[in-house]
Structures are given as structure tokens and as C-alpha cells.
Amino acid sequence: QVTLVESGGGSAQAGGSLRLSCTASGRAFSSYSMAWYRQVPGQEREFVVAIDWRGETAFYAATVKGRFTISRDTSKNTLYLQMNSLKSEDTAVYYCAARWGDWSPDRIDYWGQGTQVTVSS
């Protein structure tokens, strides 16, 4: 069992920055590929970025590539999302996700509870 807790959400101006964190409790964090998704009310949950369990490869959605950076610190069991050059369309609830082994979007084993990000123009 893995519990994921996001933090760092809040409000920012367009062009500004925010950093999200996701802390995992439970065993074998280093064996999980991790990802960030986001969701706007009334819309489907959208993939943002993932990082493999080795921390070597990241997969970015085209909408955030060049603006967002994913990273992980296995010594702290924590996943990060650095969001720069924020746009109003980045406004959403952001969810942390974990998948055992190599990354693939076909199955998510654990979800966090989400953290709100609001970008005003």
C-alpha cells in the first residue's frame, strides 16, 4: 500500500511559478514510476508528465513541455513538479500518481487526493 499526499498548490499570476510536491508513504517508492495528472471540473483527467522508476526518463505532454519539470528525490520519498511560465489554462486540480515498474499510462496503482492550482491572467 502506498499513500500519496500532494502539497504546494495555490494561486499564481500568469507567467509566474509554482512547485508541487508529492510525498509517498509505504515501501519501495524507488520502484514506482511517478506521474502528475490534472483535471478541470467537467473534463477528463489529463496526463501532464511522468518519470520512470529509475529517474532517468521523463515523458511530457506537449502542452507543458519546456515549462514544467518533473523530478524525484528517493531519499525523501518525494516527487516534484516545477511549473514555470504558468498560463491560465494550467488551472486545474493536480494529482500525483504511482505505477509499479516501468512507466505506462495504461494502469495507475495509486492516486493522491489532489491539490488546486489557480493561475490568473
Side-chain angles (χ1 to χ4, degrees):
Q1 182 72 21
V2 174
T3 302
L4 304 174
V5 179
E6 300 97 335
S7 61
S11 298
Q13 295 284 331
S17 299
L18 284 173
R19 188 176 82 155
L20 305 183
S21 299
C22 171
T23 301
S25 63
R27 299 180 180 178
F29 171 75
S30 61
S31 296
Y32 285 85
S33 293
M34 302 295 296
W36 291 96
Y37 283 74
R38 64 188 182 187
Q39 189 170 24
V40 175
Q43 297 184 17
E44 290 190 0
R45 195 166 293 189
E46 173 190 32
F47 170 78
V48 177
V49 58
I51 187 167
D52 71 346
W53 62 273
R54 302 170 187 84
E56 295 175 349
T57 304
F59 309 87
Y60 289 89
T63 52
V64 305
K65 195 168 187 179
R67 300 188 298 120
F68 291 9
T69 302
I70 191 171
S71 61
R72 63 190 299 165
D73 185 338
T74 54
S75 69
K76 297 180 179 179
N77 277 14
T78 300
L79 176 74
Y80 301 99
L81 181 64
Q82 178 66 43
M83 303 186 294
N84 299 330
S85 302
L86 284 164
K87 304 176 181 180
S88 57
E89 51 263 45
D90 294 321
T91 296
V93 176
Y94 282 72
Y95 295 90
C96 176
R99 185 191 192 279
W100 178 271
D102 293 334
W103 169 250
S104 173
D106 64 341
R107 187 193 82 243
I108 298 295
D109 296 319
Y110 300 100
W111 290 97
Q113 85 289 349
T115 186
Q116 177 70 46
V117 170
T118 302
V119 182
S120 56
S121 56

